[in-house]
Amino acid sequence: MERNILGHAQRETSGASTFAKYNFQYHWALCRIIEKHKSNCDYALLIEHHEDVVIADSLYGNSASFEFFQVKNTGKPYTPDSLTKREAGSDGPKSSILGKLLSSCLGTAYESRITEIGLVSSNGFSLGQKDNKLNLDIITSGDLNAECLSRLTEKLKNEIGIEIFPENLKFIVPKIKLENQEEFVIGRFAELVNEIFPNSHCNAVNIYRAIIDEIHRKGQNTHDFTLWEKMVEDKSLTSHKVKDVIAVHTTSPNFQDFEKDFDYLATNDMKWNTLTYRKIKKKVKQIVLRRVGHVSAFDMSIMRIAQQALKSVPEEDYTDASDYIDSVVIKAKEYRIETQVPEHDDILCEILYCFIKGDE
């Protein structure tokens, strides 16, 4: 088990407990991971964990880098003054919007692993740019004119003590709008499936509902996590999970050739009853479609163990395929596949996948 670098106590958890109010926030987050999915990137999406949206670029904590985003649904474009304004509080001035975002990132154990800090505003920004004629959807420190940059830096120096404006801080104007948010995201899921599975048929509405339910449920979890694997399991929406949901609600020609070999093995060798056959076939289909075009580092790790187990058990020692497969499952457990895939049926499906695929 890995220690969780994001495992220290959160500054606040009120966002998670009022999660239902933040439609714009999680719809924007889904659009962000859809783009990552198109690029075959691994990711773990966290909602209301240290920031509104945090995205890790790996399912392995020791190698993950992070993107931190604060997502605002505002009535007016943000100006340098509104970004750095500090309201009076009972214990002194409250944090400004920009100060609060940067406090989540700077001076932390994970600061060096943050690749992007983003402030997302539904109504954009009114900031002094080097070229104010440019209508930018992403504004970086390099786009700001000297006066605006100096003004922001001075305010932040007084609030949180920074001397240099962070180069990885970006001001983001989202493509998604407040109106018709659900339809926008459903359309993006349909485009995603068409891109990764050409000539397939999917139910984009069901994909959206399954994923939004998952992100709702996990977004409401306010606990801290000292173990990375526990946080990924209980708090995040992963690329692995999104692939599985898409596979369940997609019919693709990519599965048809594999399906013939699977059905032959299931009917002639494994001799499962109907319920077992349906359950295992559904799981195997998810694996096949999840690995079309791109195999994640997580999947590669599982496949290496399954392939090692297959090579370690000689086929010629068996006359019955089901006995052979059972022996390979046992061998895979000896190789500690359960640290990656804990359930017996899931291990069986991984072995069947690699057995049918052979040396492709």
Side-chain angles (χ1 to χ4, degrees):
M1 291 286 186
E2 293 182 47
R3 293 290 297 176
N4 180 16
I5 196 169
L6 300 178
H8 66 273
Q10 299 173 72
R11 182 185 62 233
E12 59 179 75
T13 58
S14 59
S17 61
T18 55
F19 187 74
K21 299 179 181 179
Y22 293 93
N23 286 354
F24 184 75
Q25 176 178 306
Y26 57 77
H27 281 131
W28 178 84
L30 288 180
C31 290
R32 183 82 179 187
I33 64 167
I34 286 171
E35 292 307 309
K36 292 184 178 295
H37 212 94
K38 287 181 180 180
S39 301
N40 292 323
C41 297
D42 281 342
Y43 55 81
L45 167 66
L46 299 152
I47 299 291
E48 295 295 348
H49 193 70
H50 295 299
E51 256 316 329
D52 292 344
V53 175
V54 176
I55 303 175
D57 67 356
S58 173
L59 302 184
Y60 296 100
N62 59 0
S63 59
S65 296
F66 306 99
E67 299 170 350
F68 275 59
F69 300 100
Q70 200 170 110
V71 183
K72 296 295 184 183
N73 174 11
T74 57
K76 296 180 180 179
Y78 279 116
T79 65
D81 286 340
S82 60
L83 286 174
T84 55
K85 182 179 180 181
R86 303 181 69 185
E87 301 285 353
S90 56
D91 298 321
K94 297 180 180 179
S95 296
S96 68
I97 290 169
L98 211 48
K100 183 179 177 183
L101 171 60
L102 293 176
S103 295
S104 299
C105 307
L106 306 183
T108 62
Y110 45 83
E111 177 183 354
S112 63
R113 291 163 66 177
I114 297 176
T115 57
E116 183 172 345
I117 305 170
L119 180 62
V120 181
S121 171
S122 61
N123 280 288
F125 302 89
S126 180
L127 304 173
Q129 297 176 194
K130 292 175 180 176
D131 185 350
N132 283 315
K133 294 179 181 178
L134 295 177
N135 183 23
L136 302 173
D137 59 353
I138 298 177
I139 303 170
T140 68
S141 59
D143 297 312
L144 300 175
N145 62 34
E147 180 186 355
C148 181
L149 193 59
S150 175
R151 194 167 161 193
L152 289 171
T153 304
E154 184 63 28
K155 291 280 190 179
L156 290 170
K157 179 181 179 181
N158 293 335
E159 181 177 352
I160 59 175
I162 68 168
E163 297 284 347
I164 300 173
F165 195 82
E167 290 185 359
N168 57 349
L169 176 59
K170 298 177 181 179
F171 302 97
I172 301 169
V173 182
K175 293 180 174 64
I176 186 172
K177 303 302 179 185
L178 296 178
E179 303 80 16
N180 303 317
Q181 294 176 51
E182 289 189 14
E183 290 82 358
F184 185 89
V185 177
I186 290 169
R188 285 301 176 92
F189 273 120
E191 292 172 7
L192 170 64
V193 174
N194 186 59
E195 186 168 321
I196 60 179
F197 299 130
N199 304 315
S200 65
H201 299 281
C202 77
N203 189 324
V205 172
N206 284 352
I207 291 171
Y208 165 80
R209 286 175 178 167
I211 290 175
I212 208 72
D213 286 348
E214 178 85 352
I215 205 173
H216 273 167
R217 180 174 62 83
K218 292 189 171 181
Q220 292 172 13
N221 188 334
T222 61
H223 292 110
D224 297 313
F225 302 92
T226 58
L227 294 177
W228 173 266
E229 293 87 352
K230 182 70 172 171
M231 183 189 71
V232 170
E233 177 67 25
D234 292 355
K235 181 66 177 176
S236 78
L237 174 70
T238 66
S239 48
H240 197 88
K241 176 65 177 180
V242 173
K243 287 180 178 180
D244 281 347
V245 170
I246 289 173
V248 168
H249 298 288
T250 300
T251 302
S252 170
N254 293 101
F255 183 61
Q256 291 174 357
D257 291 339
F258 188 97
E259 184 177 28
K260 294 175 185 176
D261 292 334
F262 174 84
D263 285 344
Y264 182 88
L265 180 68
T267 303
N268 295 282
D269 296 308
M270 304 308 291
K271 298 181 174 62
W272 294 313
N273 63 38
T274 301
L275 292 179
T276 300
Y277 166 79
R278 289 179 177 175
K279 177 177 67 173
I280 299 299
K281 184 173 182 177
K282 179 181 178 181
K283 288 177 177 287
V284 170
K285 178 190 174 186
Q286 288 177 314
I287 293 172
V288 172
L289 295 186
R290 190 169 72 229
R291 293 172 183 167
V292 169
H294 169 74
V295 181
S296 70
F298 181 77
D299 282 330
M300 284 291 292
S301 178
I302 297 169
M303 289 169 63
R304 276 194 293 267
I305 298 174
Q307 289 163 350
Q308 184 181 6
L310 283 163
K311 291 176 182 177
S312 299
V313 180
E315 286 187 46
E316 58 269 21
D317 291 351
Y318 296 84
T319 57
D320 188 278
S322 62
D323 290 340
Y324 171 69
I325 294 296
D326 288 342
S327 295
V328 176
V329 169
I330 293 170
K331 181 61 69 173
K333 290 181 178 180
E334 292 177 8
Y335 292 148
R336 302 186 65 206
I337 197 172
E338 287 169 300
T339 62
Q340 309 273 7
V341 186
E343 299 298 327
H344 176 84
D345 283 352
D346 293 329
I347 297 172
L348 171 62
C349 291
E350 293 290 350
I351 300 301
L352 291 171
Y353 170 82
C354 289
F355 178 70
I356 294 171
K357 293 287 284 186
D359 296 326
E360 290 183 29

